[in-house]
Amino acid sequence: MSFNNNVATKFPKLAPKGPSGELLLASERAKGSFDVNELSKFMYTDDWLQRMYKVLEVLENEPAFDKSDRYYLSREDKLASSLWKDNRIVELVREQNWDKTDTQIADLLYDQSTPFTLHYNMFIPTLMNQTTAEQKKLFLAPALSHRIIGCYAQTELGHGSNVQGLETTATYIPETNEFELHSPTLTSSKWWAGGLGKAANYAIVMARLITDGKDLGPHPFVVQIRSLDDHRPMDGVTVGDIGPKFGFNSVDNGFVMFDHYRIPHVSFLAKYSQVEKSTGEYSKPPNSKLSYGTMVFVRANIVMGVRLALAKATTIAIRYSAVRQQFVDAANPKKWDNKVIETPVLDYTMQQYRLLPAVAAAYACFFTGREMLRLYNLNQEAMQNGNFSLLADLHASSSGLKSLTTTMAIDSIEDCRRACGGHGYSSFSGLGQFYQDYLPNVTWEGDNYILTQQTARYLLKTFRNVVAGKAEASEYNQTITYLTQYLENPKAKCPATKPEDFANPELILSAFGFRAAYGIAQVAEQIDRHGRSWNSMLVEISRISKAHCQFMLVRNFIVALQNDDHLAKAENRPMLNVLRKLASLFALHTMEKELSEFLVAGYLSSEQSAMLKQQVISLLEQVRPDAVSLVDAFALPDYFLHSALGRYDGKVYEAMTEMAEREPLNQTLVVNGYDQFIKPLTNPTKPSADGVAAKL
Amino acid sequence: MSFNNNVATKFPKLAPKGPSGELLLASERAKGSFDVNELSKFMYTDDWLQRMYKVLEVLENEPAFDKSDRYYLSREDKLASSLWKDNRIVELVREQNWDKTDTQIADLLYDQSTPFTLHYNMFIPTLMNQTTAEQKKLFLAPALSHRIIGCYAQTELGHGSNVQGLETTATYIPETNEFELHSPTLTSSKWWAGGLGKAANYAIVMARLITDGKDLGPHPFVVQIRSLDDHRPMDGVTVGDIGPKFGFNSVDNGFVMFDHYRIPHVSFLAKYSQVEKSTGEYSKPPNSKLSYGTMVFVRANIVMGVRLALAKATTIAIRYSAVRQQFVDAANPKKWDNKVIETPVLDYTMQQYRLLPAVAAAYACFFTGREMLRLYNLNQEAMQNGNFSLLADLHASSSGLKSLTTTMAIDSIEDCRRACGGHGYSSFSGLGQFYQDYLPNVTWEGDNYILTQQTARYLLKTFRNVVAGKAEASEYNQTITYLTQYLENPKAKCPATKPEDFANPELILSAFGFRAAYGIAQVAEQIDRHGRSWNSMLVEISRISKAHCQFMLVRNFIVALQNDDHLAKAENRPMLNVLRKLASLFALHTMEKELSEFLVAGYLSSEQSAMLKQQVISLLEQVRPDAVSLVDAFALPDYFLHSALGRYDGKVYEAMTEMAEREPLNQTLVVNGYDQFIKPLTNPTKPSADGVAAKL
């Protein structure tokens, strides 16, 4: 090429076909029935929102937090830019005097995991909770000041869910008062640990403790894996990155193997169990249910995270569906300035059916997350007083809710992406990478299928207790309540006689309770009377966990609207009204999705099913005018969304073209590879290949 | 760093924990009840398989077709390697004397779209079908010899599904006998065209033909967009890449805008309609239904593609599930060499429930694809003789089947990925990129939601005809048959009295026919009697399309097993037996998934639902021993799968570590970014930040 190839491609300065996205969204916002800001404050508090906007302003002016290049980066560049962010946030915390909440907000807005994420989320918390004073001084203090950067290595190449099957060993050597870490097989390689691949110099390693010839199963050790001087792997340690993944490529998930690698006695995390020096004698940890409380807390936050994920996905899809116009709906043509225009796709019932229940689900997860946090606090207090009565139900529900809601979230993210049509497939939608990065949630913190077994075990045990008259009703245990009601009248029928009857909250709660109880009773009968094995019942087992948790989501939503003092105020009536519609929509859409279970239970009839479906369509119509306002209330800034389709101002097409202009391939006129691979075909110097090519 | 940083990380030479994947898969293969090769030959023919192995051998020795680096490449490198493949295959066709089938096999095995894909799949076929002799000489001949490389630009930034809404104009200028191509708005930019971004120098452009002041709607033009000398965009043409996508990043999907860009009269594709020189007079194309036949052909191939997609996904997931062991199933511990080992996850009912119906669905799509091709040929022949009686049903079914089966495929790919646990998330599973690249199938060739409306319109029309006594039964029109049966006995009930009754093919077919007819009758009633609008019925409309197409899939599978001569031979009895189990599993699993519709229709009772579920679990047990053999029969080579988890030899863990060793980040000891971003924290020269960091 003799010409200047480094000419960037620019779009001509043209406007999109009108009406513009700005005008369309403005008309949507004018239709809203409630005060958007009030609903935002209700969910987040005014204080949190103000902090969020303050942190946002800082980040928008920080090159290390700039997202402009996020969708174009190679794996290596993603990692480098993540390390920049990890470095810069340490400085920002100091410069801005941010507290924990501010820092969490910054991470939330940045919205991408980095190599240091597990240093903060797993390494430091583990050191805080499981170490002695000496260990805190040795490991926690330098971790807090970033002298050491840690990660958490549990999963192995051959073992994930079954922690008891881990192979890495840590053998106590009394002669030198050391442990010898060893990886006996290829499958024993630690695998998946975030931050381990390239960034961390320390790791919490779960290894089988072997002392005095006895294998005591997996225990945590704090282990140096890289030199503090030059970051090279320690002798005896093979460590690296596990390679590219479906998502999460801004993180260096890593592997590590140990070859008879010696670590000092103090590496064994010794707050709960100890290995005595010289003798190697082992003392067991005190049996404690307290850790179950912590799990409830973690899962309540996961459910709140689901709320955020659904909010993000629906904000993008709803705004774009209000801007995107396709076809004229002949039966009901849309007019603008007295002219017929194509219909915004959000006016099509199918699009509403795909999107509005997901908005309702976001609000459902908000109310359940809030309730879980309330019960967590109640339970922590009760346990301090020796009262463990709340724990079992709370823990079981939280397992199933983690499973159910994260699956709901990932399905909705993908539904929203597809509902954006072709442009949903562009990285600029923001939904593709979001889907990829969110996905691990269905596997980590308990695989979603395996978790349902924990919930089901509790439900079956409670059922047997209720049948035996050994369970006492309590306002904190809805499981006992709905099981008792079911057993009192196992032939109950839904009383609905017209579609509007399905708007009745009591009818909804009875239906969900009955359906859950019926399923539990069936499984109990199969196992207890017919001797079916647990394995052969796994499909039904996952269903009863789901049925129970759908009951919880529906109930928490409905009860919150009945009891919340703030919502009860006269001036908040419009907000309460729209939330009530959402609660009905969430419940009835869920009922429709799971219709076969309500029918099999004999609770609903065919005629009632038709009424139910009619009521769902009617609710879609009722919620439709508030659709954009409801996602606006999530208060998610454009910086967070980083989506051409989901922009607050509706400038979808301007954003698509601006982002396309940044594509690296568009910085040159002629593509790399032209001279080598295209030109020899289009401008051949050899005899033509016409005859042969015709066969293609 | 003063040391040599360019040291690649290598795993120690250790074996995985036993029993090895090789031994586990060998034990699975020993359990198979039928001849795997015979089943492969039945599906592909022996001739095709022999060609496939021959082409495979060539590709495995071609650097341009090497997949080793596929999962690590940046966008730019993906594109460059694709251009290399595009260039090399032209040479290979000549060197190897490949015909069309061989070339298609090479593309299938390479399994990744490239910039030239649409040159072959859209540009050349369009030129073949829609040009005059003069145009063939001018455009088709150089396209076949690769002097020009084309693409197909229809979709615009603002318009996809609604082709009639396209904005780009082509105005005839009688004075110069030219057309003036113009993009009046930003939304009129062509968008998404594969190959347009960087590689093509020509494009078929769909633009509104304007002549003599009249807008005649979108018509195709063949347009030069880049110089044949140096590949620079032509003056008046703004062209580039639309940026990164969720998948398909080996293709340069592009945009193009025209600024009063003149093209000669001969650019208008003039086989079917013409614009007369000078006068600009327009002559309409002859109205032809023939193009509907072609659509059936395209969709039959899409359904065959679904078979391949399901085959690929299940081959990977089933083989890995036979190798991966997790937990000991206490009630039924697995033994190996008389020692208890962890249970291969494929032995868990839930895993079987997640995977085996997808294997059955792959076979279902094979039989339906085959039947569609048979009917396509019958119909082409009939149409030549002026008989259009088959067309409507065939076209309507093919629309719905495209929609239903591609959705089944994409859902199954993701189900299979998740069923691989954590490692499913690694790129090395092969399933992540596969999901991403397959996804456009649910949008292109007709959006899957919109397509269901076509099918439903036909179903409703047929229903009205049957009611009016104006439809005649025919062996080629099953719709009329099941609608007639339904109308004869709209209160029919399923006769099953025990789980095994559900194995009866006649019972299955009656059930699916009744359920489809019931749904169609309900929708007809709502629209015709209650005056419900089409828009408000869209949810139910998509359901009746699905119900009809599930009937077709089930029927084609069952009828093929009843009528196929080859399968009827005594020596093929074991193959027929396993296919029968798969047909039942596919049908009954589908029935269970759609249970609410069978219940609402009043066809199934609660008791029968329980029997149905029992029969599904029983079928999973029956199919389980053949699971690995059934995916082996798909005959998909390791080169094609390119998956660490799905290897034929079961060396899952060896492959995972070998692929991790190739990760670019593992070619250096210390990561790029350490000096700048990590070292300043771990080895600070400034005063420590301990106090502040503690707030994090």
Side-chain angles (χ1 to χ4, degrees), chain A residues 314-341:
Chain A
T314 55
T315 299
I316 295 169
I318 296 263
R319 285 183 184 157
Y320 176 50
S321 296
V323 172
R324 178 183 173 211
Q325 301 157 62
Q326 212 76 182
F327 299 105
V328 170
D329 180 7
N332 184 24
K334 170 99 175 169
K335 294 206 177 169
W336 191 272
D337 287 344
N338 286 319
K339 271 187 288 191
V340 170
I341 60 168

mmCIF file of all heavy atoms in Angstrom, chain A residues 314-341:
data_model
loop_
_atom_site.group_PDB
_atom_site.id
_atom_site.type_symbol
_atom_site.label_atom_id
_atom_site.label_comp_id
_atom_site.label_asym_id
_atom_site.label_seq_id
_atom_site.Cartn_x
_atom_site.Cartn_y
_atom_site.Cartn_z
ATOM 1 N N THR A 314 -33.116 -5.516 32.556
ATOM 2 C CA THR A 314 -34.411 -4.972 32.120
ATOM 3 C C THR A 314 -34.309 -3.488 31.786
ATOM 4 O O THR A 314 -35.018 -3.014 30.908
ATOM 5 C CB THR A 314 -35.508 -5.194 33.184
ATOM 6 O OG1 THR A 314 -35.084 -4.641 34.431
ATOM 7 C CG2 THR A 314 -35.804 -6.676 33.365
ATOM 8 N N THR A 315 -33.439 -2.751 32.467
ATOM 9 C CA THR A 315 -33.268 -1.335 32.120
ATOM 10 C C THR A 315 -32.855 -1.211 30.657
ATOM 11 O O THR A 315 -33.405 -0.403 29.898
ATOM 12 C CB THR A 315 -32.213 -0.666 33.017
ATOM 13 O OG1 THR A 315 -32.651 -0.747 34.375
ATOM 14 C CG2 THR A 315 -32.007 0.788 32.641
ATOM 15 N N ILE A 316 -31.897 -2.036 30.252
ATOM 16 C CA ILE A 316 -31.417 -1.974 28.870
ATOM 17 C C ILE A 316 -32.522 -2.395 27.901
ATOM 18 O O ILE A 316 -32.827 -1.691 26.930
ATOM 19 C CB ILE A 316 -30.168 -2.871 28.697
ATOM 20 C CG1 ILE A 316 -29.006 -2.318 29.533
ATOM 21 C CG2 ILE A 316 -29.779 -3.000 27.223
ATOM 22 C CD1 ILE A 316 -27.804 -3.256 29.646
ATOM 23 N N ALA A 317 -33.153 -3.517 28.185
ATOM 24 C CA ALA A 317 -34.118 -4.069 27.229
ATOM 25 C C ALA A 317 -35.389 -3.221 27.143
ATOM 26 O O ALA A 317 -35.944 -3.043 26.059
ATOM 27 C CB ALA A 317 -34.467 -5.512 27.598
ATOM 28 N N ILE A 318 -35.839 -2.702 28.270
ATOM 29 C CA ILE A 318 -37.084 -1.911 28.252
ATOM 30 C C ILE A 318 -36.849 -0.581 27.540
ATOM 31 O O ILE A 318 -37.646 -0.166 26.696
ATOM 32 C CB ILE A 318 -37.585 -1.672 29.694
ATOM 33 C CG1 ILE A 318 -37.967 -3.001 30.352
ATOM 34 C CG2 ILE A 318 -38.716 -0.637 29.717
ATOM 35 C CD1 ILE A 318 -39.394 -3.372 30.325
ATOM 36 N N ARG A 319 -35.760 0.097 27.882
ATOM 37 C CA ARG A 319 -35.517 1.391 27.215
ATOM 38 C C ARG A 319 -35.378 1.202 25.710
ATOM 39 O O ARG A 319 -35.964 1.941 24.921
ATOM 40 C CB ARG A 319 -34.269 2.060 27.795
ATOM 41 C CG ARG A 319 -34.513 2.646 29.171
ATOM 42 C CD ARG A 319 -33.274 3.376 29.683
ATOM 43 N NE ARG A 319 -33.484 3.862 31.043
ATOM 44 C CZ ARG A 319 -32.513 4.134 31.899
ATOM 45 N NH1 ARG A 319 -31.233 3.980 31.528
ATOM 46 N NH2 ARG A 319 -32.780 4.569 33.119
ATOM 47 N N TYR A 320 -34.615 0.190 25.313
ATOM 48 C CA TYR A 320 -34.430 -0.022 23.872
ATOM 49 C C TYR A 320 -35.746 -0.415 23.203
ATOM 50 O O TYR A 320 -36.029 0.006 22.080
ATOM 51 C CB TYR A 320 -33.355 -1.089 23.651
ATOM 52 C CG TYR A 320 -33.133 -1.457 22.197
ATOM 53 C CD1 TYR A 320 -32.931 -0.472 21.228
ATOM 54 C CD2 TYR A 320 -33.098 -2.784 21.787
ATOM 55 C CE1 TYR A 320 -32.725 -0.805 19.895
ATOM 56 C CE2 TYR A 320 -32.891 -3.126 20.459
ATOM 57 C CZ TYR A 320 -32.710 -2.132 19.520
ATOM 58 O OH TYR A 320 -32.510 -2.469 18.198
ATOM 59 N N SER A 321 -36.570 -1.186 23.905
ATOM 60 C CA SER A 321 -37.855 -1.602 23.318
ATOM 61 C C SER A 321 -38.829 -0.440 23.178
ATOM 62 O O SER A 321 -39.786 -0.526 22.408
ATOM 63 C CB SER A 321 -38.501 -2.703 24.164
ATOM 64 O OG SER A 321 -37.705 -3.855 24.163
ATOM 65 N N ALA A 322 -38.608 0.606 23.945
ATOM 66 C CA ALA A 322 -39.448 1.803 23.790
ATOM 67 C C ALA A 322 -38.959 2.658 22.619
ATOM 68 O O ALA A 322 -39.721 3.440 22.060
ATOM 69 C CB ALA A 322 -39.443 2.608 25.085
ATOM 70 N N VAL A 323 -37.683 2.492 22.263
ATOM 71 C CA VAL A 323 -37.099 3.296 21.178
ATOM 72 C C VAL A 323 -37.203 2.570 19.839
ATOM 73 O O VAL A 323 -37.459 3.176 18.805
ATOM 74 C CB VAL A 323 -35.613 3.614 21.495
ATOM 75 C CG1 VAL A 323 -34.935 4.275 20.298
ATOM 76 C CG2 VAL A 323 -35.513 4.488 22.738
ATOM 77 N N ARG A 324 -37.017 1.269 19.866
ATOM 78 C CA ARG A 324 -36.987 0.468 18.646
ATOM 79 C C ARG A 324 -38.391 0.285 18.094
ATOM 80 O O ARG A 324 -39.280 -0.184 18.788
ATOM 81 C CB ARG A 324 -36.389 -0.894 18.968
ATOM 82 C CG ARG A 324 -36.329 -1.855 17.813
ATOM 83 C CD ARG A 324 -35.785 -3.196 18.296
ATOM 84 N NE ARG A 324 -35.846 -4.199 17.271
ATOM 85 C CZ ARG A 324 -36.023 -5.495 17.517
ATOM 86 N NH1 ARG A 324 -36.135 -5.936 18.757
ATOM 87 N NH2 ARG A 324 -36.064 -6.360 16.526
ATOM 88 N N GLN A 325 -38.567 0.636 16.830
ATOM 89 C CA GLN A 325 -39.885 0.497 16.208
ATOM 90 C C GLN A 325 -39.789 -0.513 15.084
ATOM 91 O O GLN A 325 -38.813 -0.541 14.339
ATOM 92 C CB GLN A 325 -40.347 1.835 15.649
ATOM 93 C CG GLN A 325 -40.435 2.939 16.697
ATOM 94 C CD GLN A 325 -40.351 4.301 16.043
ATOM 95 O OE1 GLN A 325 -41.194 4.658 15.245
ATOM 96 N NE2 GLN A 325 -39.307 5.052 16.360
ATOM 97 N N GLN A 326 -40.813 -1.331 14.971
ATOM 98 C CA GLN A 326 -40.781 -2.393 13.974
ATOM 99 C C GLN A 326 -42.210 -2.733 13.564
ATOM 100 O O GLN A 326 -43.024 -3.066 14.422
ATOM 101 C CB GLN A 326 -40.073 -3.614 14.602
ATOM 102 C CG GLN A 326 -39.285 -4.483 13.648
ATOM 103 C CD GLN A 326 -37.919 -3.916 13.187
ATOM 104 O OE1 GLN A 326 -37.277 -4.538 12.401
ATOM 105 N NE2 GLN A 326 -37.485 -2.768 13.633
ATOM 106 N N PHE A 327 -42.517 -2.597 12.319
ATOM 107 C CA PHE A 327 -43.850 -2.876 11.757
ATOM 108 C C PHE A 327 -44.883 -1.859 12.251
ATOM 109 O O PHE A 327 -44.718 -1.229 13.286
ATOM 110 C CB PHE A 327 -44.355 -4.289 12.115
ATOM 111 C CG PHE A 327 -43.504 -5.407 11.600
ATOM 112 C CD1 PHE A 327 -42.678 -6.111 12.465
ATOM 113 C CD2 PHE A 327 -43.521 -5.762 10.263
ATOM 114 C CE1 PHE A 327 -41.881 -7.160 12.002
ATOM 115 C CE2 PHE A 327 -42.737 -6.803 9.792
ATOM 116 C CZ PHE A 327 -41.916 -7.501 10.669
ATOM 117 N N VAL A 328 -45.958 -1.760 11.485
ATOM 118 C CA VAL A 328 -47.126 -0.992 11.917
ATOM 119 C C VAL A 328 -48.160 -2.008 12.391
ATOM 120 O O VAL A 328 -48.472 -2.955 11.670
ATOM 121 C CB VAL A 328 -47.694 -0.147 10.751
ATOM 122 C CG1 VAL A 328 -49.043 0.463 11.142
ATOM 123 C CG2 VAL A 328 -46.706 0.950 10.358
ATOM 124 N N ASP A 329 -48.635 -1.847 13.619
ATOM 125 C CA ASP A 329 -49.688 -2.730 14.119
ATOM 126 C C ASP A 329 -51.004 -2.257 13.503
ATOM 127 O O ASP A 329 -51.599 -1.278 13.951
ATOM 128 C CB ASP A 329 -49.733 -2.673 15.655
ATOM 129 C CG ASP A 329 -50.807 -3.585 16.226
ATOM 130 O OD1 ASP A 329 -51.426 -4.348 15.454
ATOM 131 O OD2 ASP A 329 -51.034 -3.532 17.449
ATOM 132 N N ALA A 330 -51.439 -2.961 12.460
ATOM 133 C CA ALA A 330 -52.556 -2.473 11.644
ATOM 134 C C ALA A 330 -53.817 -2.250 12.482
ATOM 135 O O ALA A 330 -54.561 -1.298 12.260
ATOM 136 C CB ALA A 330 -52.840 -3.469 10.515
ATOM 137 N N ALA A 331 -54.053 -3.137 13.467
ATOM 138 C CA ALA A 331 -55.284 -3.037 14.253
ATOM 139 C C ALA A 331 -55.254 -1.841 15.200
ATOM 140 O O ALA A 331 -56.288 -1.388 15.676
ATOM 141 C CB ALA A 331 -55.491 -4.321 15.046
ATOM 142 N N ASN A 332 -54.062 -1.347 15.480
ATOM 143 C CA ASN A 332 -53.928 -0.283 16.473
ATOM 144 C C ASN A 332 -52.702 0.552 16.145
ATOM 145 O O ASN A 332 -51.711 0.550 16.863
ATOM 146 C CB ASN A 332 -53.792 -0.934 17.866
ATOM 147 C CG ASN A 332 -53.745 0.106 18.970
ATOM 148 O OD1 ASN A 332 -54.228 1.221 18.808
ATOM 149 N ND2 ASN A 332 -53.129 -0.256 20.084
ATOM 150 N N PRO A 333 -52.764 1.301 15.019
ATOM 151 C CA PRO A 333 -51.559 1.998 14.546
ATOM 152 C C PRO A 333 -51.107 3.096 15.510
ATOM 153 O O PRO A 333 -51.938 3.821 16.067
ATOM 154 C CB PRO A 333 -51.987 2.573 13.193
ATOM 155 C CG PRO A 333 -53.467 2.596 13.227
ATOM 156 C CD PRO A 333 -53.925 1.517 14.144
ATOM 157 N N LYS A 334 -49.822 3.179 15.715
ATOM 158 C CA LYS A 334 -49.249 4.192 16.607
ATOM 159 C C LYS A 334 -49.140 5.508 15.833
ATOM 160 O O LYS A 334 -48.652 5.529 14.705
ATOM 161 C CB LYS A 334 -47.877 3.699 17.047
ATOM 162 C CG LYS A 334 -47.029 4.697 17.777
ATOM 163 C CD LYS A 334 -47.101 4.495 19.277
ATOM 164 C CE LYS A 334 -46.143 5.437 19.999
ATOM 165 N NZ LYS A 334 -46.392 5.428 21.449
ATOM 166 N N LYS A 335 -49.563 6.602 16.474
ATOM 167 C CA LYS A 335 -49.452 7.903 15.793
ATOM 168 C C LYS A 335 -48.497 8.815 16.534
ATOM 169 O O LYS A 335 -48.357 8.740 17.763
ATOM 170 C CB LYS A 335 -50.830 8.554 15.695
ATOM 171 C CG LYS A 335 -51.746 7.756 14.782
ATOM 172 C CD LYS A 335 -52.823 8.626 14.181
ATOM 173 C CE LYS A 335 -53.665 7.802 13.217
ATOM 174 N NZ LYS A 335 -54.871 8.499 12.806
ATOM 175 N N TRP A 336 -47.856 9.687 15.773
ATOM 176 C CA TRP A 336 -46.909 10.651 16.319
ATOM 177 C C TRP A 336 -47.050 11.906 15.466
ATOM 178 O O TRP A 336 -46.908 11.806 14.251
ATOM 179 C CB TRP A 336 -45.488 10.091 16.237
ATOM 180 C CG TRP A 336 -44.490 10.890 17.011
ATOM 181 C CD1 TRP A 336 -43.787 11.959 16.569
ATOM 182 C CD2 TRP A 336 -44.101 10.684 18.365
ATOM 183 N NE1 TRP A 336 -42.976 12.439 17.557
ATOM 184 C CE2 TRP A 336 -43.150 11.674 18.685
ATOM 185 C CE3 TRP A 336 -44.473 9.766 19.352
ATOM 186 C CZ2 TRP A 336 -42.556 11.769 19.950
ATOM 187 C CZ3 TRP A 336 -43.879 9.856 20.600
ATOM 188 C CH2 TRP A 336 -42.935 10.845 20.889
ATOM 189 N N ASP A 337 -47.364 13.011 16.068
ATOM 190 C CA ASP A 337 -47.619 14.236 15.294
ATOM 191 C C ASP A 337 -48.650 13.964 14.198
ATOM 192 O O ASP A 337 -48.469 14.390 13.043
ATOM 193 C CB ASP A 337 -46.325 14.765 14.651
ATOM 194 C CG ASP A 337 -45.407 15.376 15.695
ATOM 195 O OD1 ASP A 337 -45.869 15.661 16.814
ATOM 196 O OD2 ASP A 337 -44.209 15.539 15.386
ATOM 197 N N ASN A 338 -49.655 13.177 14.556
ATOM 198 C CA ASN A 338 -50.744 12.860 13.618
ATOM 199 C C ASN A 338 -50.340 11.988 12.438
ATOM 200 O O ASN A 338 -51.118 11.814 11.515
ATOM 201 C CB ASN A 338 -51.408 14.143 13.085
ATOM 202 C CG ASN A 338 -52.269 14.757 14.166
ATOM 203 O OD1 ASN A 338 -52.956 14.028 14.886
ATOM 204 N ND2 ASN A 338 -52.212 16.065 14.291
ATOM 205 N N LYS A 339 -49.103 11.464 12.478
ATOM 206 C CA LYS A 339 -48.718 10.560 11.403
ATOM 207 C C LYS A 339 -48.533 9.153 11.976
ATOM 208 O O LYS A 339 -48.076 8.989 13.106
ATOM 209 C CB LYS A 339 -47.400 11.016 10.757
ATOM 210 C CG LYS A 339 -47.622 11.993 9.605
ATOM 211 C CD LYS A 339 -46.331 12.292 8.869
ATOM 212 C CE LYS A 339 -45.426 13.171 9.721
ATOM 213 N NZ LYS A 339 -44.279 13.742 9.040
ATOM 214 N N VAL A 340 -48.898 8.169 11.165
ATOM 215 C CA VAL A 340 -48.681 6.792 11.606
ATOM 216 C C VAL A 340 -47.188 6.483 11.583
ATOM 217 O O VAL A 340 -46.511 6.755 10.584
ATOM 218 C CB VAL A 340 -49.437 5.799 10.684
ATOM 219 C CG1 VAL A 340 -49.022 4.368 10.999
ATOM 220 C CG2 VAL A 340 -50.940 5.980 10.852
ATOM 221 N N ILE A 341 -46.686 5.976 12.683
ATOM 222 C CA ILE A 341 -45.285 5.542 12.706
ATOM 223 C C ILE A 341 -45.259 4.048 13.013
ATOM 224 O O ILE A 341 -46.281 3.468 13.382
ATOM 225 C CB ILE A 341 -44.450 6.311 13.761
ATOM 226 C CG1 ILE A 341 -45.023 6.079 15.166
ATOM 227 C CG2 ILE A 341 -44.377 7.786 13.427
ATOM 228 C CD1 ILE A 341 -44.099 6.559 16.274
#
